[in-house]
Amino acid sequence: MLEQRKREHLDICLKQGVNSSIANGFERYRFTHNALPELDLDQVQLSTSFLGHTLEAPLLISAMTGGTRDAAVLNARLAQAANKFGIAMGVGSQRAAIANPALLETYQVRRYAPDIMLLANLGAVQLNNGYDLAECQQAVASIDADALVLHLNPLQEALQSDGNTNFSQLLDKIHGICSALPVPVIVKEIGYGLSPQTAEYLLEAGVAALDIAGAGGTSWSEVERLRSADSARAQIASGFRGWGIPTAEALNTLHRAFPQALLIASGGIRDGIEVAKALSLGASLAGIARPLLIAAHSSQDELEAALQVIIEQLRISMFCTGSRTLGELQNSITAVSD
């Protein structure tokens, strides 16, 4: 059942229109163009450090797939591209591999990417369904990961006919994992954003970084609507296509509330200019998912070309704001008046 669900998710994301009906919010911000940047484009430095790992650019190939044999080739391509450009990568939820070890190889990308920061991934709700420290350790060790992502997806689970909807008392269990796991724990939403209150609880629980994963990109309610064979459930799901906190709004709010927190901005980020905006608003990394998934499905060359475009757009954005380093890019953006 899990493998079939993963296959359906992958097929829908590759072939159908599943974007949120609301924008990611970055259109409400702009940079002040610097016509005299007083630096050479070649001097712009994209390298950064995140949770002790050096990255050549502040990018994360966000968690997307795994758990179906169709995903093995895609994850291999994504990993090779991450290794080539020196960026981070996350795999999709590893629950399928824990349930069926035969699917583990669809997540095992370390042989393609020996040097990258690699993120393991489990649904936090599984901590209420029999998972504990052992499964978290298994997820990390089985792919030689550098950190564990626990994802929060209450809306998606509520819209699935067989979803796990018991999200009660999860915070204490997340705290327990953060305290005992030997690698950092990152918590992310899957496309609806994190509020300041949720962020505060998670940071107090010991989470090392937060992936905002706001609204404006893939709508998982729309994915579940398209999956559903039940017309009533599909109708319920259709009402949530515009649900969530736009990525830029969530990022700006959380960075102001928790200026020292490590934040990953993801959710509808599609180009290097939006990456630059996210970094200027306080993100440490920007995550991109579906555009890279579609490129990877086409070919390795197309994936690498897409990443090259994003990186060069980021570099030129920094140049045209007079930002030699990522630190100088911080706070160089202004909101556009309504």
Side-chain angles (χ1 to χ4, degrees):
M1 183 187 301
L2 280 174
E3 184 177 3
Q4 177 64 24
R5 182 193 301 167
K6 297 295 183 184
R7 187 179 299 113
E8 291 171 356
H9 284 166
L10 182 58
D11 190 57
I12 289 169
C13 286
L14 285 170
K15 298 178 181 178
Q16 308 227 33
V18 290
N19 282 345
S20 171
S21 64
I22 58 178
N24 62 21
F26 287 106
E27 75 285 351
R28 298 186 63 246
Y29 295 89
R30 68 180 176 206
F31 290 110
T32 299
H33 175 64
N34 187 341
L36 187 62
E38 288 288 345
L39 75 156
D40 188 323
L41 178 59
D42 290 339
Q43 294 175 316
V44 172
Q45 298 294 318
L46 301 184
S47 61
T48 190
S49 178
F50 187 77
L51 293 176
H53 295 265
T54 298
L55 306 178
E56 293 181 25
L59 293 174
L60 165 67
I61 298 177
S62 291
M64 286 181 270
T65 193
T68 168
R69 290 172 177 83
D70 299 336
V73 171
L74 293 174
N75 272 339
R77 289 176 179 175
L78 292 166
Q80 289 176 73
N83 204 68
K84 177 176 179 176
F85 291 101
I87 61 178
M89 175 185 169
V91 300
S93 173
Q94 294 169 255
R95 180 184 168 204
I98 290 177
N100 179 5
L103 297 174
L104 180 58
E105 64 180 4
T106 69
Y107 300 92
Q108 290 178 320
V109 299
R110 187 55 90 182
R111 63 186 181 275
Y112 305 109
D115 303 320
I116 67 169
M117 183 180 186
L118 182 62
L119 310 182
N121 185 351
L122 287 174
V125 74
Q126 299 309 320
L127 298 175
N128 276 344
N129 289 277
Y131 281 24
D132 206 336
L133 180 62
E135 286 74 19
C136 293
Q137 291 174 322
Q138 182 181 346
V140 170
S142 65
I143 65 168
D144 191 20
D146 301 296
L148 173 67
V149 172
L150 292 174
H151 67 261
L152 300 172
N153 62 337
L155 179 56
Q156 183 187 25
E157 295 288 356
L159 294 173
Q160 291 178 356
S161 60
D162 56 348
N164 295 305
T165 56
N166 180 14
F167 277 72
S168 63
Q169 300 180 323
L170 269 182
L171 191 62
D172 284 344
K173 293 172 183 175
I174 291 172
H175 171 69
I177 299 301
C178 292
S179 299
L181 200 67
V183 298
V185 174
I186 300 168
V187 170
K188 70 165 290 181
E189 236 287 347
I190 66 159
Y192 301 100
L194 294 172
S195 70
Q197 185 177 59
T198 299
E200 182 177 10
Y201 291 154
L202 291 169
L203 292 169
E204 289 177 351
V207 170
L210 299 172
D211 187 338
I212 291 162
T218 299
S219 167
W220 283 95
S221 63
E222 189 66 4
V223 173
E224 296 302 339
R225 181 187 73 80
L226 292 167
R227 268 191 74 229
S228 182
D230 182 326
S231 60
R233 294 199 69 82
Q235 185 176 1
I236 292 169
S238 69
F240 290 92
R241 192 166 188 173
W243 187 267
I245 309 167
T247 301
E249 178 184 328
L251 172 60
N252 187 41
T253 302
L254 293 194
H255 180 61
R256 288 177 180 274
F258 311 102
Q260 303 306 313
L262 289 179
L263 303 176
I264 301 170
S266 66
I269 294 177
R270 298 177 179 88
D271 60 42
I273 300 166
E274 290 188 335
V275 170
K277 288 181 178 182
L279 298 169
S280 186
L281 286 171
S284 296
L285 299 182
I288 302 178
R290 189 163 173 256
L292 299 180
L293 180 69
I294 293 170
H297 185 253
S298 178
S299 70
Q300 186 73 40
D301 286 346
E302 187 161 329
L303 170 61
E304 292 180 7
L307 276 168
Q308 187 66 56
V309 167
I310 291 166
I311 289 169
E312 286 308 305
Q313 288 173 333
L314 170 59
R315 189 188 310 277
I316 294 169
S317 296
M318 291 176 63
F319 176 60
C320 290
T321 58
S323 303
R324 188 189 311 268
T325 66
L326 295 172
E328 292 176 6
L329 184 64
Q330 289 272 345
N331 303 314
S332 61
I333 200 168
T334 57
V336 178
S337 299
D338 293 332

